[in-house]
Amino acid sequence: MTATLRVHATGPLCLVEDLGRPGRSGIGVGRSGAADRGALRQANRALANPPEAAALEVTLGGLELEVVDGPVWVCVTGAPAPVSVDGRQVGPYSVTGVRTGSRLRLGMPPRGLRSYLAVRGGIDAPAVLGSRSRDVLAGIGPEPIAGGDVLAVGPVPGAFPVADLLLQPAFPDEVVLGLVRGPRDAWVEDVEALVRSRWTVTDRSNRVGMRLAGGIVRHRDVERQLPSEGTWRGAVQVPPSGEPVLFLADHPVTGGYPVVAVVRDGDVDRAAQVRPGQRLRFSWS
Amino acid sequence: MLAYGDRALLLELGDAGRVLAWTDALGRARLPGVGDLVPAAATLLVVIAEGADVAAVRSALEGFEEPDPSAQRPEDGDVLEVPVSYDGPDLAEVARLTGLTEAEIVEAHTSTTWRVAFGGFAPGFGYLVGGDARLVVPRRESARTSVPAGAVGLAGEFSGVYPRESPGGWQLIGTTSLPMWDPERDPPAVLLPGARVRFVVAGS
């Protein structure tokens, strides 16, 4: 028999995410998936889950779950939210067994934005187009988790976890992201403004993208229209206002504003952990 | 071919016909290292598969033979008929912008076979090309906060059908009752890239 979890409380946002849905751009459905893919992979690896197993992406903590049929093995990665079982601290970045009837809580992470709670066997929500990811822009995939929800856990894999404690990445106050120039850098007067400015992530940021404040990247000709182009995670798009947007997991599939630079793929996970109000810089890579 | 970060390449192809031909040909060729393909109006974004070498994909793309845009594919046979009630709130504005009468707009919109060039904006939304050149109109100056599902619009050289209720800035000329998106179906979208579409006057 597989386990189930009952949700008693969620924080600001709790979503089911896996590695996303590839190959659907032609019908207007983007990749989506965990905003911090590395953190999801780390948690699944720790539990000997397959890499594509779905987990909960918990924004700024506040999640409380009860194990209905257990036991389950869990691991929290990403933003290092304090994790407790029946009031006992078990930490993030560890593999922990939780018995039937026990309550698991994720508190507010001191740093970072998105924590990943993986369960051995994966969260067994219905897949849409081959993925269990919630895409907040497209509005497809499992509905956001709410209090009272009951979550099924998938069958446990044949392999067994080998590590109890995981390495926690750094979450510095000022994040520096590597940037590749173009493809449409010639559409703005001075693309160097991206690396010269110290940016602040505004509160108009979500899984679609992060709106940055702290500088203006002016268009050479605000009247000129770019035919829609494909966009991808990490793209830095500049609307005519000159305020850049850094696209994350649920970015639009195509967009009509120029993408003047793209964050190195390996740095996009770190971008997804920057909180509104926090500082961010770019450097050419 | 332009770099798009360190894990994707942007092919500049110039027009929707070449984009469709390249998207189709690359989708079939299954070149090693090619992951997602994101077709758009004049470009094709090629995302490198995880773990694959960008330089190898770049040289494979450089050596790839130009596909024939006029090549007919087996699935090209069917033309999807989309019945439209031409009762959109922007018909008068489109008439003013184009100098056509409302009847001439309907005639122009129904007289050509459109083709789905690419997707985006929302699941199931297809950017249709191949329309009468007289129907090229700018977007509305201010977008509507709510456009109903099934609304048929014009913007630039494109026509499209809103698959669900959403904000939108296209000039609305009519409404269809044909559902554009059904998540229970695979594929869930009616308008797949390359598909051919004919608008017809509903009830006629």
Side-chain angles (χ1 to χ4, degrees):
Chain A
M1 178 166 177
T2 56
T4 54
L5 308 169
R6 180 175 292 127
V7 180
H8 286 280
T10 66
L13 186 64
C14 177
L15 303 173
V16 178
E17 297 292 342
D18 56 18
L19 292 176
R21 35 184 86 71
R24 300 289 186 162
S25 299
I27 56 169
V29 175
R31 177 69 187 249
S32 189
D36 181 345
R37 293 158 298 160
L40 173 68
R41 286 202 171 93
Q42 186 185 25
N44 276 331
R45 201 163 49 236
L47 295 167
N49 280 340
E52 65 276 11
L56 298 180
E57 182 180 278
V58 183
T59 301
L60 294 175
L63 179 68
E64 184 174 337
L65 300 173
E66 178 189 346
V67 177
V68 179
D69 294 304
V72 297
W73 290 88
V74 300
C75 180
V76 173
T77 59
V83 183
S84 66
V85 175
D86 298 330
R88 179 174 52 93
Q89 293 296 321
V90 296
Y93 290 89
S94 68
V95 173
T96 308
V98 189
R99 284 195 296 261
T100 301
S102 285
R103 287 212 181 194
L104 177 78
R105 290 185 183 83
L106 265 70
M108 170 72 96
R111 286 160 179 274
L113 184 59
R114 298 178 169 100
S115 308
Y116 293 84
L117 170 68
V119 182
R120 190 163 143 78
I123 299 292
D124 189 16
V128 176
L129 298 175
S131 165
R132 297 182 165 88
S133 289
R134 177 66 179 180
D135 183 328
V136 301
L137 182 69
I140 61 173
E143 289 294 320
I145 304 300
D149 286 357
V150 174
L151 306 173
V153 176
V156 296
F160 290 96
V162 290
D164 289 334
L165 286 170
L166 287 72
L167 279 176
Q168 181 181 319
F171 291 89
D173 290 333
E174 184 176 80
V175 173
V176 182
L177 304 173
L179 203 56
V180 179
R181 197 182 300 259
R184 300 296 172 203
D185 48 313
W187 282 62
V188 292
E189 286 179 0
D190 181 16
V191 75
E192 296 293 331
L194 280 178
V195 297
R196 260 199 327 268
S197 307
R198 296 183 78 201
W199 301 97
T200 304
V201 176
T202 71
D203 55 9
R204 291 175 301 145
S205 300
N206 57 18
R207 283 176 47 86
V208 176
M210 303 160 70
R211 285 172 194 280
L212 307 179
I216 296 290
V217 184
R218 281 183 213 292
H219 279 217
R220 282 187 200 277
D221 177 2
V222 290
E223 297 295 316
R224 194 172 165 206
Q225 300 256 326
L226 179 75
S228 284
E229 290 191 338
T231 62
W232 201 250
R233 187 174 54 215
V236 179
Q237 192 192 59
V238 180
S241 69
E243 292 174 291
V245 180
L246 198 177
F247 282 143
L248 297 180
D250 293 351
H251 61 84
V253 173
T254 54
Y257 298 135
V259 169
V260 301
V262 181
V263 172
R264 278 171 41 86
D265 192 59
D267 286 356
V268 179
D269 286 352
R270 291 193 297 118
Q273 292 293 0
V274 183
R275 293 183 181 200
Q278 208 180 327
R279 290 295 184 85
L280 185 154
R281 281 196 299 120
F282 295 111
S283 70
W284 297 122
S285 77
Chain B
M1 198 180 326
L2 300 171
Y4 196 101
D6 61 341
R7 299 298 300 166
L9 297 165
L10 188 70
L11 306 189
E12 294 191 283
L13 298 168
D15 64 70
R18 277 187 82 204
V19 172
L20 274 173
W22 275 84
T23 307
D24 184 52
L26 287 178
R28 284 161 194 274
R30 298 185 177 277
L31 295 182
V34 170
D36 273 78
L37 299 173
V38 191
T43 55
L44 172 60
L45 182 65
V46 178
V47 181
I48 313 300
E50 215 164 286
D53 179 44
V54 185
V57 174
R58 181 185 272 270
S59 66
L61 290 172
E62 280 164 353
F64 197 76
E65 192 186 340
E66 174 76 33
D68 179 4
S70 64
Q72 288 281 308
R73 302 172 304 159
E75 60 268 37
D76 284 350
D78 293 340
V79 177
L80 177 73
E81 282 202 353
V82 177
V84 179
S85 300
Y86 285 91
D87 54 4
D90 297 322
L91 256 187
E93 175 66 4
V94 172
R96 192 186 68 76
L97 288 165
T98 58
L100 301 175
T101 65
E102 295 186 11
E104 286 167 338
I105 294 167
V106 175
E107 165 66 23
H109 197 245
T110 53
S111 66
T112 63
T113 301
W114 298 78
R115 204 155 180 222
V116 182
F118 60 99
F121 175 64
F125 188 90
Y127 289 78
L128 299 166
V129 294
D132 187 310
R134 293 174 298 166
L135 291 179
V136 174
V137 288
R139 288 160 191 260
R140 284 168 51 82
E141 278 183 23
S142 64
R144 290 187 169 86
T145 53
S146 174
V147 171
V152 177
L154 297 170
E157 63 173 309
F158 301 109
S159 189
V161 183
Y162 284 82
R164 62 179 183 200
E165 193 263 310
S166 66
W170 288 32
Q171 309 273 4
L172 305 181
I173 59 171
T175 317
T176 181
S177 56
L178 185 72
M180 293 289 126
W181 180 261
D182 176 0
E184 302 304 315
R185 208 170 41 201
D186 193 3
V190 172
L191 302 181
L192 306 178
R196 295 193 296 164
V197 173
R198 191 96 189 192
F199 292 105
V200 296
V201 177
S204 67

